[in-house]
């Protein structure tokens, strides 16, 4: 059910969940400081309670208020609003959002509707608006397929199309936990050294995730004739989940996907394709 941003604000303030657009994927949002509201996200998605949610905030000041700030975050701040999530030591975010971990993951999304709702409601917990383990929604129609009847604000197709880059600042060296459109190259240039890969038990880090129903078979970059080809890199990321859903809906099995060149956002595309293939 399509709703306007003002109605989403009312519903969120009343403790309900609604789907909202962001530049990465559509999110299933709840008031991030309302435990009962956040619990409804876990129930709707079928997401295990120990898998933490990203807290979306309106600006960096708000993020700094909820976590122990780290000066290295200042080197990344001009990437906000944007598809970059920072993991910091928690200050006062409810445990349910954090999956019980002592840390909190936050970002400022770069989407006018998301920002409008955030400034009216305050921080929002908002994982992707799909059932646990499935393909993230990048168009408003996908949300209706995942959750028929769920109120959703139509923000058009998502500009980025893959989930945010996640960087942990918990340790001595920054750590890339999930590749996204803010590239490893960009992070290296700003932070100096960056470790790659993470240990936190979390959905985006499960070997099998982002998976359609049909099997996914991967072919090397440059292989012609794939169902899901890898054209220009940014374009590939934007269309990736829509292409997977499209072929899945047609009953294509296996879905043959061409890996991207492993640079820039290509790392994120390949990460998601490998998890889809493992599903
Ligand atoms: P998503 O599935 O897009 O909502 O993103 C959730 C991802 O954010 C998880 O897979 C983790 O990698 C990361 N994350 C969220 N919250 C935390 C946290 N408190 N500590 C560490 N990582 C987190
Ligand atoms: Mg997700």
């Amino acid at each position: 059910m399509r709703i306007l941003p003002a109605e989403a604000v009312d519903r969120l303030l009343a403790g309900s969940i609604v789907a909202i657009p962001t530049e990465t994927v559509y999110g299933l949002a709840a008031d991030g400081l309302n435990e009962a509201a956040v619990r409804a996200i876990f129930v709707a998605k079928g997401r295990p309670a120990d898998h933490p949610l990203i807290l979306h905030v309106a600006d960096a000041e708000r993020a700094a208020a909820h976590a122990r700030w780290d000066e290295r975050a200042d080197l990344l701040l001009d990437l906000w609003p944007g598809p970059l999530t920072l993991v910091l030591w928690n200050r006062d975010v409810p445990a349910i959002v954090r999956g019980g971990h002592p840390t909190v993951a936050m970002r400022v999304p770069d989407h006018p509707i998301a920002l409008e709702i955030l400034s009216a409601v305050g921080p929002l917990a908002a994982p992707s608006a799909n059932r646990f383990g499935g393909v993230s929604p990048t168009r408003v129609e996908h949300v209706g397929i995942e959750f028929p009847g769920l109120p959703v604000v139509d923000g058009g197709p998502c500009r980025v199309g893959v989930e945010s880059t996640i960087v942990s600042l918990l340790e001595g060296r920054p750590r890339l936990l999930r590749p996204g459109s803010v590239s490893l190259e960009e992070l290296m240039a700003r932070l100096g050294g960056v470790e790659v890969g993470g240990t936190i038990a979390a959905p985006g880090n499960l070997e099998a995730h982002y998976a359609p129903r049909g099997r996914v078979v991967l072919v090397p970059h440059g292989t012609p004739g794939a169902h899901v080809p890898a054209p220009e890199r940014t374009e590939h990321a934007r269309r990736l989940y829509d292409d997977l859903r499209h072929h899945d809906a047609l009953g294509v099995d296996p879905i043959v996907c061409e890996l991207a060149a492993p640079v820039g956002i290509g790392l994120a595309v390949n990460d998601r394709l490998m998890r889809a293939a493992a599903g």
Side-chain angles (χ1 to χ4, degrees), residues 47 52-54 87 103-105 127 166 178 200 202-205:
R47 177 152 161 150
L53 307 178
I54 294 173
V87 178
T103 54
V104 60
I166 302 180
R178 177 172 75 186
I200 184 143
N205 292 338

Side-chain angles (χ1 to χ4, degrees), residues 15 48 69 223:
W69 200 245
T223 308

